[in-house]
Amino acid sequence: MAFTNFEIFALASTTDTGKTVETSPCYLLTVEVIRAKNLRRADIFSHTDCYLMLWLPTASSIHFRTKAVENSKDPVWNETFHFMVQSKVKNVLELSVHDEDNISRDDHLFTVRFDIAGLPLNEKVLMQFKCNPKSRQVCCLEYEVQGKKAQKSKQKLSFMVKGSHEGHHECSLGSDFCISPACQSAFHYVKYKQPTLDVKLPKKDLDYVFGPCAYNREEGSLQAQISSLPTKKKIMLAENNEFSLHVKTEDCQNVLDVRLGYDLCSQEQDFLDKRKKIVAEALKKVLGLERDLQDHEIPVVAIMTVGGSTRSLTALYGSLQGLKKLNIIDCTTYLTGFSGTTWTMANLYKDAYWSQKDLDEQINKTKRDMTKCKANGLSIECLKYYNRQLCQRKQEGQKTSCIDLWGLLIEYLLNDGEDNHKLSDQQQAVNDGQNPLPIYAAINVKENYSTMDFKEWVEFTPYEVGILKYGAYVRTEDFGSEFFMGRLMKKLPETRICYLQGMWSSIFSLNLMYVWNLSHSSEDFWHKWTQDQIVDIGEEDHLPTRAHDQKSHLYTPAGPLSSALRDVITDRLSVAQYHNFLRGLQLDNSYLEQSNFHRWKDTVLDSSSPNQLTQSEEYLSLEDAGFFISTSSAPLLRLERKVDVILHLNYSAGLQTRNLEQTCKYCAEQGIPFPKAVLSEEDKNSLKECYLFEDAENSEAPILLFFPQVNDTFRYYTSPGVKRSESQLKDGKVDLSSDSSPYSTYSMTFHPEEYDRLVKLSEYNILNNQHLILQGLCSAVERKKKVQEIKPSEHRDA
């Protein structure tokens, strides 16, 4: 994790008791609790006196506990506990850490729940739990204004707590102000930031002010140090003959609504368990294997698509049709997309069993949408509908932009009416492992920075939305809601998927920098105008240094001309803005040493300006990943997904190898295992339908099958091995690249025959390269077997 985390170290082992019971053999579980590191303080008045409690309800009704270690955030216990467990029941051991308190109730810091099923028999295992709570303590300041008599004129009290989630409140004292509580609300703030409550009062003197407050009679303002206020006790802060102000502070619960950690969520892990059975059966059939594959021999296969508006929308249907005819879809675990391919994916996953059915119905339905007149999308009736929808979205608490209008246009393009489908609805299509798990890719950008200098990969699944670099995820249902310090503060309605489709394919997010890079091979000239000038400066040697300490930097702001030029060439027409679920979280002081953070660390601010990273922003600024690299591969390159084979389906315009070369370069710079996909000049000038790339020296690099969008042998064959007749030759002429091509990225309508030809071409290119696909799958299976032979212990789940 990139954020502050806690760790527990323990040794655990299970031992055969030798007393086998026919229906429920028993084992002796031994747990030696060693130590914990970097525990937070439960309160500001004393250091932690922590103990650890162990509870295994399937083995004992007793809660066991260690001794309390006084005044230590790194307690060492070295205590051993034993449990008699049954192997045929679900045994989940709970380890909870508490701070002992002689005056009040002990503080419960956090609990780890560990399934012991993965422990090997008769072998001791060192377990290290990174418990991630949790950033810093969040507190709540409640205030209440009580009126004493009716007011003749309206007056306002203004409340502010800088750095809090709410920021600012106002309370009106008007003619309806009566003796009952007229105004009450709350601020959520970081406990240890020494926050203050600032109150702007009506121009009337106060008769009473509580001790820790500073009252400025001339300005009519009141300021209170919140840390000086008593906890869990309602007090009167100030009053006069018209009203009184009461406040109360409390600690908030430490349960986070943001999941911190780089592991896959439990729902995806459950999906993988179910999908693995389907994949194993399909691979056995497709590869003609004589025996079932063992778990460690089953490769993770992914379909990775590249966007391109309606061209990619249409072509993906053809590719999937070909993969289905070869029974390859059932061999795959993931399907990723961005831009136009997300339109196809969103349509497919409305059907919970789409991959088990013939795709002809879906293809024909989309054909009707692609060939219909689009002029009605800008009719008066449609414009009124768009306005109502955007107003409703704004009322729900979301920011709106032309990206949202684009999403509504996509809704019209792909549907016959309003589409209330949401991303979380797609859980129904994967909960039984019946389809590949869909993953939608986007990037988070920053104002006044090009994507060369700042971009962060964001992934969307039916289960979670998260930013890869930080290892921070929220439930898909909660994406777009208001968060603070990892807590869900205000639940907003889940966004309809059409708005996400607008963001995933946000053509309005381009800037002059992107246009320049697209049309020139060298970006150095303009890039130097957009970069911050940051240099290392010397430090005195007498200061102690640690491995994670950063060097001091000198930041020099740009001059007026450079600033103006930078604003022009990096300004985007619009981005999709959603409430930032990372807002307020704190980076751990050794965040740069986190291997997963470092894997995706590629922005100019990561090392030099951590205070300006995403956790400080109120909103995420999301756009089409194609404004960085036209690929949806990033989610598949997470180590935790262990992808072995990638089917790279390319539908981009222009140079077909551009995004592949960019991906190879990016992975090399980031140290991400990826095959060296090098094509000869001859191949670049005359591309084939498919290429297989494999890094024999690095088994962690996935096997890559690259399908450029070309019209090669399809010109002469209707299907593999079946030549076209003279009358059929016209159907083989699919113009993909000329200036007059009907398949331009900006083409929103196809003629029926144009649509059919693109679907058939994409299907044919898959079918005609069945041998290469099977070769890649066979290589992956053999590689998995070899890895098991060399390192058998690495395939144990522990």
Side-chain angles (χ1 to χ4, degrees), residues 539-545:
E539 295 176 336
E540 296 294 334
D541 293 337
H542 64 266
L543 293 176
T545 59

Side-chain angles (χ1 to χ4, degrees), residues 257-258 478 481-484 486-492:
D257 299 299
V258 175
D478 295 334
S481 295
E482 295 184 23
F483 287 81
F484 181 66
R487 281 82 170 176
L488 177 60
M489 307 304 296
K490 184 178 181 181
K491 181 74 173 75
L492 302 183

Side-chain angles (χ1 to χ4, degrees), residues 134-361:
K134 302 259 177 235
S135 62
R136 294 188 175 185
Q137 177 64 48
V138 173
C139 296
C140 176
L141 170 69
E142 299 176 355
Y143 70 85
E144 178 180 289
V145 181
Q146 292 183 340
K148 296 182 178 180
K149 63 180 182 179
Q151 302 293 314
K152 296 181 179 179
S153 61
K154 286 190 176 182
Q155 302 180 68
K156 288 186 177 180
L157 274 75
S158 177
F159 298 84
M160 182 173 65
V161 177
K162 291 182 179 180
S164 67
H165 167 67
E166 294 78 9
H168 179 263
H169 286 158
E170 284 192 349
C171 175
S172 295
L173 307 180
S175 57
D176 56 348
F177 198 98
C178 56
I179 296 178
S180 62
C183 179
Q184 54 186 0
S185 192
F187 291 98
H188 295 84
Y189 60 93
V190 184
K191 184 174 185 177
Y192 300 116
K193 281 191 173 181
Q194 301 299 315
T196 61
L197 170 65
D198 293 284
V199 186
K200 188 71 174 176
L201 302 163
K203 296 289 185 179
K204 299 210 174 174
D205 289 345
L206 293 175
D207 299 327
Y208 171 81
V209 177
F210 182 70
C213 295
Y215 174 44
N216 189 316
R217 192 182 304 271
E218 293 182 0
E219 296 182 0
S221 64
L222 186 73
Q223 186 178 80
Q225 290 290 335
I226 298 178
S227 59
S228 300
L229 301 175
T231 305
K232 299 182 180 179
K233 181 181 179 181
K234 184 177 179 180
I235 64 168
M236 184 166 64
L237 204 62
E239 72 169 342
N240 60 18
N241 61 352
E242 295 181 349
F243 69 89
S244 61
L245 171 62
H246 301 257
V247 296
K248 178 183 177 182
T249 65
E250 282 191 298
D251 291 342
C252 296
Q253 290 187 349
N254 270 329
V255 178
L256 292 190
D257 299 299
V258 175
R259 185 177 72 85
L260 298 180
Y262 293 98
D263 291 336
L264 303 178
C265 67
S266 59
Q267 297 98 320
E268 184 171 341
Q269 293 178 17
D270 290 341
F271 161 81
L272 292 175
D273 290 339
K274 297 171 183 176
R275 185 65 180 175
K276 183 177 286 188
K277 299 174 183 177
I278 297 173
V279 170
E281 183 178 346
L283 284 171
K284 181 181 179 182
K285 180 179 179 180
V286 167
L287 300 180
L289 303 176
E290 296 180 355
R291 65 170 179 84
D292 293 337
L293 291 171
Q294 299 181 39
D295 277 1
H296 68 267
E297 298 173 334
I298 304 171
V300 177
V301 182
I303 301 171
M304 191 274 287
T305 67
V306 172
S309 189
T310 51
R311 180 182 61 253
S312 60
L313 160 73
T314 305
L316 179 54
Y317 277 115
S319 298
L320 292 175
Q321 181 83 304
L323 292 171
K324 178 162 180 57
K325 289 182 178 179
L326 297 178
N327 295 315
I328 299 298
I329 291 182
D330 282 345
C331 299
T332 63
T333 301
Y334 295 106
L335 171 60
T336 66
F338 77 98
S339 195
T341 58
T342 67
W343 305 349
T344 308
M345 293 165 62
N347 276 342
L348 289 173
Y349 282 87
K350 292 177 186 176
D351 185 339
Y353 292 90
W354 70 266
S355 68
Q356 313 302 314
K357 302 176 181 179
D358 194 298
L359 294 182
D360 285 343
E361 182 179 347

Side-chain angles (χ1 to χ4, degrees), residues 517-559:
N517 294 340
L518 199 64
S519 58
H520 292 75
S521 59
S522 174
E523 66 278 355
D524 292 342
F525 176 75
W526 290 110
H527 188 208
K528 72 178 182 180
W529 291 94
T530 67
Q531 285 185 310
D532 290 328
Q533 300 301 312
I534 303 174
V535 296
D536 294 343
I537 60 175
E539 295 176 336
E540 296 294 334
D541 293 337
H542 64 266
L543 293 176
T545 59
R546 291 165 293 181
H548 57 258
D549 284 350
Q550 294 180 210
K551 294 182 179 180
S552 298
H553 294 93
L554 175 66
Y555 169 76
T556 305

Side-chain angles (χ1 to χ4, degrees), residues 10-26:
L11 285 171
S13 65
T14 53
T15 307
D16 191 346
T17 63
K19 299 178 181 178
T20 304
V21 180
E22 183 177 353
T23 57
S24 57
C26 293

Side-chain angles (χ1 to χ4, degrees), residues 395-413:
Q395 291 171 358
E396 290 173 350
Q398 300 287 4
K399 294 193 73 172
T400 58
S401 70
C402 58
I403 300 293
D404 298 306
L405 176 59
W406 171 235
L408 291 169
L409 287 169
I410 294 173
E411 178 188 51
Y412 172 82
L413 175 72

